[in-house]
Amino acid sequence: MGPLLELFSGLGAAGLAWGGPVAAAVDQSAAANETYALNHGHAPLAWNLAAVREAQLAAFVAPRWWLSPPCQPYTVRGASRDREDPRARALLHLLPLVARLRPEVVAMENVPGFVPSQSRGELRAALIAAGYSLHERLLCPSTLGVPMRRQRYYLVARSDTGEPHRSDFSTPLARSPTRALAGHLDPHPASVLFLPEATVRGFGYSADLVDEADPDAIVNCFTSAYGRSPLRAGSYLRDRAGVRRFSPEEVLRLLGFPEGYRFPEAMPTATRWELAGNSLAIPAVRAILAEAGVAGPPET
Ligand SMILES: C[S@@+](CC[C@H](N)C(=O)[O-])C[C@H]1O[C@@H](n2cnc3c(N)ncnc32)[C@H](O)[C@@H]1O
């Protein structure tokens, strides 16, 4: 298959998962683009996808498109305003462009709250009218051996199969044994990650706390608010030295980024957490692409 057009590219997880050449990446975040350029050797285009013109996208020879649009319109934290949320505009703006430019494959990721949304209804209607076969499902990396829950909606639409549409929103069962969390941790965690005991006591039972020594530990999804919101933005770790946050590099490891992937040296930890929390679970992307028959089997 030909090159990939990576839209809402962030850190570039979709390109890493898919492999092969990337025709172009597009994202309006300067911090994401700086990190992307450092690791991928080419800079994303800093376009606003809510206003991109058809001719701008038609200029790329890219039969495969990946879209990771913002999830806030479909989350409780983001007030679930669906298509009324301005952050949903870019996805909705792209629908007629997809239908006219007709890439061979269009794939997308979002939060489970996208499933009942009107935006998904419009996405499906546009793709079906343009002759695509849809493969939709929820998938969590914890079912693929990753010690992290990050249940997400995935769509792979193909223009070349004529197959019936498939949507599966049941909870999948674990397919492989979970790898130990300990193997994803920094050997020398930075002292700034540790929390004062009083803060930990203040959490009571509301924080999700996992133990480094627990071979079955599974962390909860890290969101872009990790480090900013004390609760429901990701797990904390208890190790021999105390209770701490996971480092942004540990979050990337849990998302399946390669070991050499790095943030710009001067980038603050809060920005790193935000970018990592916005990104994709690479093993889950590989699995859905393999299942839809547009890439090889997922790496183990
Ligand atoms: C959920 S994140 C996707 C992250 C990406 N998949 C990754 O590997 O890190 C959404 C991304 O869309 C970008 N974005 C949001 N609205 C945009 C717009 N209107 N135009 C371009 N990029 C946008 C954000 O900057 C953010 O990086």
Side-chain angles (χ1 to χ4, degrees):
M1 288 225 176
L4 177 71
L5 180 58
E6 203 174 353
L7 302 176
F8 310 94
S9 48
L11 300 181
L16 292 172
W18 216 322
V22 173
V26 183
D27 200 295
Q28 66 181 8
S29 154
N33 290 350
E34 187 190 352
T35 313
Y36 186 110
L38 181 67
N39 290 281
H40 298 262
H42 64 102
L45 298 155
W47 294 347
N48 176 7
L49 287 165
V52 72
R53 283 174 289 109
E54 183 175 336
Q56 287 176 289
L57 298 181
F60 303 117
V61 180
R64 309 178 295 167
W65 291 17
W66 179 275
L67 286 73
S68 301
C71 59
Q72 294 90 341
Y74 317 106
T75 62
V76 176
R77 204 190 274 273
S80 306
R81 290 175 61 211
D82 197 346
R83 69 181 324 291
E84 304 311 321
D85 188 317
R87 291 165 291 193
R89 257 184 228 144
L91 173 65
L92 300 173
H93 173 75
L94 287 169
L95 299 184
L97 307 191
V98 170
R100 285 200 291 276
L101 296 173
R102 290 183 47 83
E104 285 166 30
V105 180
V106 181
M108 190 190 129
E109 180 252 19
N110 213 280
V111 290
F114 185 73
V115 174
S117 73
Q118 211 179 323
S119 300
R120 171 173 163 254
E122 292 181 34
L123 169 73
R124 281 178 56 89
L127 292 171
I128 291 171
Y132 284 88
S133 299
L134 312 190
H135 179 54
E136 298 175 290
R137 66 128 78 229
L138 292 176
L139 189 59
C140 180
S142 64
T143 66
L144 302 169
V146 180
M148 179 180 66
R149 293 183 200 91
R150 196 180 178 88
Q151 173 100 311
R152 288 291 182 268
Y153 162 86
Y154 294 93
L155 160 79
V156 180
R158 299 183 61 174
S159 64
D160 56 349
T161 65
E163 282 175 10
H165 309 302
R166 284 162 63 195
S167 300
D168 178 6
F169 299 128
S170 58
T171 306
L173 298 171
R175 282 189 238 156
S176 30
T178 306
R179 290 187 287 279
L181 178 63
H184 299 77
L185 303 178
D186 293 341
H188 307 291
S191 54
V192 291
L193 296 172
F194 286 87
L195 304 177
E197 263 308 317
T199 308
V200 178
R201 269 198 306 278
F203 288 159
Y205 291 105
S206 22
D208 179 61
L209 193 56
V210 295
D211 206 301
E212 179 188 41
D214 178 357
D216 300 320
I218 299 188
V219 298
N220 279 332
C221 177
F222 296 96
T223 75
S224 59
Y226 194 60
R228 205 161 19 95
S229 300
L231 299 175
R232 287 182 291 281
S235 302
Y236 294 90
L237 181 76
R238 183 181 293 285
D239 67 13
R240 273 160 299 171
V243 172
R244 66 170 178 90
R245 293 196 172 92
F246 285 79
S247 72
E249 291 72 19
E250 288 170 330
V251 177
L252 287 188
R253 231 170 268 138
L254 285 158
L255 290 169
F257 277 71
E259 203 41 55
Y261 196 99
R262 60 197 204 281
F263 291 103
E265 212 139 294
M267 182 172 277
T269 306
T271 313
R272 298 178 187 210
W273 271 323
E274 188 175 344
L275 294 173
N278 258 337
S279 196
L280 299 168
I282 292 175
V285 177
R286 286 205 181 109
I288 186 74
L289 293 174
E291 194 176 74
V294 295
E299 276 175 25
T300 50

